[in-house]
């Protein structure tokens, strides 16, 4: 098992939700953390304060990771401020809610938005981080995909496609950069974050359809991400966290 004490992690989209929970979980295990946000500055500062309260070094950086130059600046900041980089969690994501039958509504612009953030951004950040991760003993990347990427479900066809492609990206990077860097993915179903606020009926329908009768709290994503980071024999894998929804 990889010991995270004294190591450094970067979590994209870590102002709120699963990203914030993962940043805090890394800090609880003694790792320094770089908090990243695009728009939610107040939330990011609150997460930073929680991380610092755990007695580890931490920093914060605003970057839209869908832009390659900003992704590179984010990684450079993390290394400059915290001295090294051992862990990357690609959590930042977005969607447009478009019914799967509304093919005309899934516009080129919406496709570009989703692919840029959900697929290109994890590649951009990983590419910038890789030279630093390769210097670490036991480095790891965790990509937050989705059940939508396996089942073809979710908020839109483009979202499902982007998350499926992220799983393939995970496998490609794992092959290319073994054994120095391990790369795995998580594929959760509904996560109880602000993404689903106000959609109580949808969330309840999802819960009722699962075997465990639960949706996924952000802390469960964090726990699973830590498991993948610490598990030194796992790479190229996608762990499904759907409460047994796909058991059939």
């Amino acid at each position: 098992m990889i010991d995270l004490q004294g190591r450094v992690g970067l979590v994209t989209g870590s102002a709120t939700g699963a990203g914030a929970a993962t940043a805090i979980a890394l800090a609880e295990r003694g790792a320094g953390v770089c908090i990243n946000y695009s728009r939610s500055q107040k939330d990011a500062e609150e997460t930073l304060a929680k991380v610092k309260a755990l007695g580890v070094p931490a920093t914060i950086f605003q970057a839209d990771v869908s832009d390659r130059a900003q992704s590179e600046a984010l990684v450079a900041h993390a290394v400059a401020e915290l001295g090294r980089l051992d862990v990357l969690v690609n959590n930042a994501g977005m969607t447009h809610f478009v019914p799967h039958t509304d093919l005309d509504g899934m516009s080129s612009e919406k496709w570009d938005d989703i692919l840029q953030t959900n697929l290109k951004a994890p590649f951009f950040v990983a590419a910038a981080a890789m030279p630093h991760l390769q210097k670490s003993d036991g480095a790891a990347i965790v990509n937050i995909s989705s059940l939508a990427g396996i089942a073809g479900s979710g908020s839109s066809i483009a979202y499902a496609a982007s998350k499926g492609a992220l799983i393939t990206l995970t496998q490609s990077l794992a092959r290319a950069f073994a054994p120095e860097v391990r790369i795995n993915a998580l594929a959760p179903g509904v996560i109880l974050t602000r993404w689903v606020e106000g959609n109580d009926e949808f969330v309840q329908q999802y819960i009722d359809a699962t075997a465990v009768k639960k949706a996924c709290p952000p802390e469960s994503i964090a726990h699973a991400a830590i498991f993948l980071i610490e598990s030194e024999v796992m790479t190229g894998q996608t762990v499904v966290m759907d409460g047994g929804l796909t058991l059939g």
Side-chain angles (χ1 to χ4, degrees), residues 19 46 66 79 85 88 104 110 174 181 210 226:
E46 290 175 357
S66 69
V79 173
L85 187 61
L88 168 62
D104 290 335
K110 290 175 180 176
V181 184
T210 67
I226 294 296

Side-chain angles (χ1 to χ4, degrees), residues 152-230:
S153 57
S155 54
S156 69
I157 285 178
Y159 178 80
S162 72
K163 292 299 189 176
L166 182 57
I167 291 171
T168 301
L169 176 66
T170 298
Q171 294 171 325
S172 296
L173 290 174
R175 289 179 185 277
F177 292 97
E180 291 85 3
V181 184
R182 292 174 297 104
I183 301 98
N184 293 288
L186 294 175
V190 171
I191 309 173
L192 297 174
T193 67
R194 64 185 183 186
W195 267 36
V196 295
E197 287 179 359
N199 293 296
D200 294 346
E201 183 177 353
F202 165 76
V203 173
Q204 191 59 52
Q205 288 175 347
Y206 172 84
I207 289 171
D208 291 343
T210 67
V212 299
K213 306 305 178 190
K214 293 179 181 179
C216 193
E219 293 74 18
S220 291
I221 302 296
H223 178 77
I226 294 296
F227 165 72
L228 290 175
I229 292 164
E230 292 181 335

Side-chain angles (χ1 to χ4, degrees), residues 28 61 79 126-127 133 140 210 213 238 240:
E28 287 173 341
F61 194 80
V79 173
L133 295 173
T210 67
K213 306 305 178 190
T238 298
V240 178

Side-chain angles (χ1 to χ4, degrees), residues 18-42:
T22 302
I24 292 167
L26 284 167
E28 287 173 341
R29 286 155 180 80
V33 183
C34 179
I35 305 296
N36 160 247
Y37 71 98
S38 177
R39 293 183 297 272
S40 304
Q41 181 176 353
K42 182 180 178 181

Side-chain angles (χ1 to χ4, degrees), residues 30-94:
V33 183
C34 179
I35 305 296
N36 160 247
Y37 71 98
S38 177
R39 293 183 297 272
S40 304
Q41 181 176 353
K42 182 180 178 181
D43 292 325
E45 289 173 347
E46 290 175 357
T47 300
L48 179 67
K50 292 176 182 177
V51 167
K52 285 186 172 181
L54 293 166
V56 299
T59 187
I60 188 171
F61 194 80
Q62 180 182 17
D64 177 355
V65 290
S66 69
D67 180 272
R68 188 162 195 164
Q70 291 188 49
S71 291
E72 292 170 350
L74 168 63
V75 171
H77 172 86
V79 173
E81 291 294 316
L82 301 175
R84 57 188 292 169
L85 187 61
D86 307 278
V87 172
L88 168 62
V89 180
N90 279 311
N91 171 74
M94 66 86 61

